[in-house]
Amino acid sequence: MKWGRRAAALLAGGCLAVGAGCAHAPPKLAPDVEARLEATPGGYLTGSVAGWQEAVVLNRRDFIWGLAFSPRGGRLAYTRLGSKAYFLSLWSLGPPPTLVADPSINPYEFDVEGVAFSPDGGLVATAGKDGVVRLFDAATGELRGERRTEEPLDAVAFHPDGGWLVTGSLKGLMTVLSVPALEYASEERGHVGPVSALAFAPDGTLYSGGWDKHLRAWRTGVEALRPGVARVRFERRGGSAVLGGTVNGKAPVSLVLDARAPAVALTSEAATAAGIDVPFLKETLNVPGALGTISARLARNQSVRFKSLVLEGVDVAVCDSCVPQGSQGVLGSPFTDRVEVAFDEVNQEAILTLKGGVPEGMRAVDSLVLSPRSDFTFPAYVSDVTVDARGQRLGVGLSEQKPERNRVVYERERKGVDEPQGPFNVGALVDAQSGQVLQKWPLHKGVVSTAAISPDGRSLATGGWDKRVYLFTEGDAAARGEHEFDWSVRRVRFSADGRHVGVAAWTPQVASSSGDSDPAAMLLGVRYTEPTITTPVEGAAAPQ
């Protein structure tokens, strides 16, 4: 069925289109099954899916990008594009579903696709193409923290213990940050090109998908690291190298590397953002400049951080005219006397190493570290990865065409030309240990943008740029359910208990007195033939 502006009337009348006809909505869960589910902590439905049942439209006016359910707490979150900014819409699933908060994230120029709940459901993380990861309170929408990374982001996932999260960038970098402080822990250049998806199994195994046609599994473990080396992205500006760092753990700054400069300098704006009370600085430092010697205010014993490398006791000159335009500071000889700098031109990274090694007094820092476990290669781009409740199976979205929207794609859509079907334009059930494709369904035309595995690992929901969402169950080649939207489907996800599938889609912008268009965020009920209740078995996750 195509969900247009008549969806509300159909729902109000209790009429749903299932397959080719229109019938009354199937009943909800039997009272005894629902009671057992409510009484089973961590419980979820298992069995063959039979199709959709009730549907609730949450949004019919925005482009919806990312969507996630909370593992606990009965909440749902999606990122939406408003007129001038991206927003994080936070819902209580009720019944009935209720919008509880709608905080802004970042300006509309920077897409926000990454969204994830913490394991306890108390926090929501977003990751956007402005390179910033943000933490929000899941109940109130209050911003709890943010950190700017070096590269545009499009994926985020929480470790099962809740103390760490991982972001994935458009350039293949996976960065581990602590929670809630968002302190840098470690990183791995996991893919060539975009990291399209990140998903943790209950045992802490991380699965990452990429446009390099690889799906990789990573072991995770906490190690005590004595940070003396950091790899930092740099760019060339006017013959100088510019690095990104933070001052006093507060202010992200771009710093020009210049060993000829006699001081480490910051602009007054950057110094203030770093917590330096500039007007009350008493000491000064003479700094030679193009127009003569400048008397700059001096802030002693500051800290400068580059990922895991921290320099303490740095004296900083506050001097606007000492800093090249477009930057916030200069790393002069006091920095290069302590740190050796080498350049990796291939990855555009500066390798910073403390001269003389790590000082004896420098405290080791506990960090979550990723190490490769498995590498599964597919004959198609990996657009999405999800993990079942036991960590034994994966739901994988695969596309023969690169899932990249461009003018050619928009022209085909405008003309109503369908993309071709293909043997690997599919959603697939994949064994998490071996990478073997257990079953795949090549029904979508063109890009399969998303694939969500059910908690029991037996069923799959998929969505694509052909405007369709399908529901499959293992052993059956036909779809058990189908919905058609009015534009590209961006994300589908199963709820933790298996009762619902959430859908994020784009909707055409139409002129109406209310501003409403066609459904863009929807909650679909999942109907099972003979549902039972189960919980993840201890130790049943994919072995290391």
Side-chain angles (χ1 to χ4, degrees):
M1 171 183 179
K2 184 171 182 177
W3 283 89
R5 281 170 287 277
R6 60 196 180 96
L10 289 174
L11 291 171
C15 191
L16 281 173
V18 181
C22 184
H24 289 288
K28 298 182 179 181
L29 289 176
D32 61 323
V33 176
E34 185 157 4
R36 290 200 307 273
L37 185 60
E38 294 291 336
T40 308
Y44 54 87
L45 297 170
T46 183
S48 296
V49 299
W52 307 119
Q53 45 182 14
E54 80 280 358
V56 178
V57 177
L58 305 179
N59 183 294
R60 56 171 66 250
R61 65 175 59 194
D62 298 308
F63 288 2
I64 311 298
W65 289 75
L67 179 144
F69 285 95
S70 63
R72 301 178 189 174
R75 295 191 177 98
L76 175 143
Y78 57 75
T79 58
R80 66 179 184 89
L81 175 59
S83 59
K84 295 183 179 179
Y86 275 87
F87 293 84
L88 176 67
S89 296
L90 297 166
W91 290 74
S92 169
L93 295 182
T98 304
L99 181 66
V100 295
D102 195 41
S104 63
I105 303 173
N106 58 237
Y108 71 91
E109 296 93 340
F110 302 105
D111 301 339
V112 184
E113 295 190 64
V115 58
F117 278 89
S118 60
D120 65 359
L123 295 172
V124 179
T126 63
K129 291 183 180 176
D130 62 349
V132 179
V133 57
R134 295 175 173 89
L135 286 180
F136 295 88
D137 186 288
T140 66
E142 178 186 356
L143 181 66
R144 290 293 187 86
E146 61 182 4
R147 182 181 181 87
R148 184 173 298 279
T149 65
E150 295 182 325
E151 301 178 0
L153 304 175
D154 63 349
V156 64
F158 278 90
H159 187 275
D161 72 6
W164 313 92
L165 61 77
V166 180
T167 64
S169 86
L170 295 179
K171 299 179 181 180
L173 185 66
M174 301 190 307
T175 303
V176 183
L177 302 174
S178 67
V179 176
L182 297 180
E183 293 286 352
Y184 173 87
S186 64
E187 66 182 28
E188 286 289 335
R189 184 76 55 183
H191 292 269
V192 177
V195 179
S196 57
L198 296 167
F200 274 102
D203 69 343
T205 301
L206 175 66
Y207 295 92
S208 64
W211 287 11
D212 55 3
K213 303 183 180 181
H214 288 263
L215 193 165
R216 292 189 167 97
W218 306 83
R219 297 184 181 92
T220 61
V222 176
E223 300 180 13
L225 303 179
R226 296 178 67 192
V229 179
R231 298 180 69 96
V232 182
R233 295 283 294 181
F234 76 93
E235 59 177 299
R236 300 286 187 188
R237 293 184 195 167
S240 299
V242 181
L243 314 180
T246 57
V247 179
N248 296 338
K250 297 179 180 180
V253 289
S254 59
L255 302 164
V256 176
L257 185 66
D258 187 354
R260 301 166 300 177
V264 173
L266 289 176
T267 64
S268 55
E269 183 180 3
T272 300
I276 298 172
D277 198 346
V278 177
F280 287 89
L281 296 176
K282 303 302 183 184
E283 291 188 73
T284 60
L285 178 70
N286 291 330
V287 181
L291 301 178
T293 301
I294 301 167
S295 181
R297 296 179 187 268
L298 185 65
R300 292 194 179 275
N301 297 318
Q302 309 301 306
S303 71
V304 183
R305 179 170 187 152
F306 301 90
K307 294 186 176 177
S308 59
L309 190 152
V310 182
L311 290 179
E312 302 286 359
V314 178
D315 295 339
V316 174
V318 182
C319 179
D320 291 316
S321 59
C322 302
V323 179
Q325 189 173 5
S327 300
Q328 283 104 16
V330 174
L331 297 172
S333 57
F335 174 81
T336 56
D337 288 345
R338 297 173 63 179
V339 179
E340 181 180 341
V341 183
F343 293 98
D344 178 350
E345 297 285 353
V346 174
N347 291 308
Q348 284 293 104
E349 292 178 327
I351 306 165
L352 310 180
T353 307
L354 287 177
K355 293 181 178 179
V358 180
E360 284 296 327
M362 184 174 286
R363 181 177 62 88
V365 178
D366 287 342
S367 300
L368 186 76
V369 176
L370 310 178
S371 59
R373 192 207 76 183
S374 307
D375 184 359
F376 310 136
T377 305
F378 293 92
Y381 300 95
V382 180
S383 60
D384 199 10
V385 180
T386 51
V387 188
D388 71 9
R390 289 182 166 186
Q392 294 180 337
R393 288 183 171 186
L394 309 175
V396 182
L398 296 169
S399 294
E400 296 178 8
Q401 300 82 21
K402 183 179 289 189
E404 181 176 56
R405 299 195 67 83
N406 52 37
R407 179 173 291 275
V408 174
V409 172
Y410 282 110
E411 283 298 315
R412 278 199 291 260
E413 290 179 344
R414 186 178 65 83
K415 296 176 182 177
V417 177
D418 288 337
E419 295 281 356
Q421 288 180 301
F424 274 94
N425 284 332
V426 300
L429 287 179
V430 175
D431 181 81
Q433 181 64 19
S434 67
Q436 178 186 358
V437 174
L438 304 175
Q439 189 168 355
K440 59 187 178 75
W441 291 273
L443 291 190
H444 283 283
K445 297 176 180 178
V447 167
V448 178
S449 53
T450 182
I453 196 167
S454 59
D456 68 355
R458 297 177 59 181
S459 302
L460 197 71
T462 63
W465 292 0
D466 58 1
K467 310 176 185 179
R468 286 171 172 79
V469 171
Y470 291 109
L471 182 64
F472 303 103
T473 201
E474 67 175 339
D476 193 340
R480 294 292 182 92
E482 177 183 355
H483 270 309
E484 184 177 353
F485 287 77
D486 280 87
W487 206 357
S488 299
V489 176
R490 306 298 301 183
R491 189 70 75 212
V492 293
R493 286 293 183 263
F494 268 89
S495 61
D497 59 10
R499 297 183 64 172
H500 298 98
V501 166
V503 184
W506 289 354
T507 185
Q509 303 301 297
V510 300
S512 68
S513 58
S514 66
D516 286 350
S517 181
D518 295 299
M522 182 178 285
L523 198 62
L524 296 170
V526 180
R527 183 161 51 93
Y528 293 79
T529 52
E530 296 180 358
T532 58
I533 313 300
T534 190
T535 59
V537 177
E538 198 72 34
Q544 296 286 312

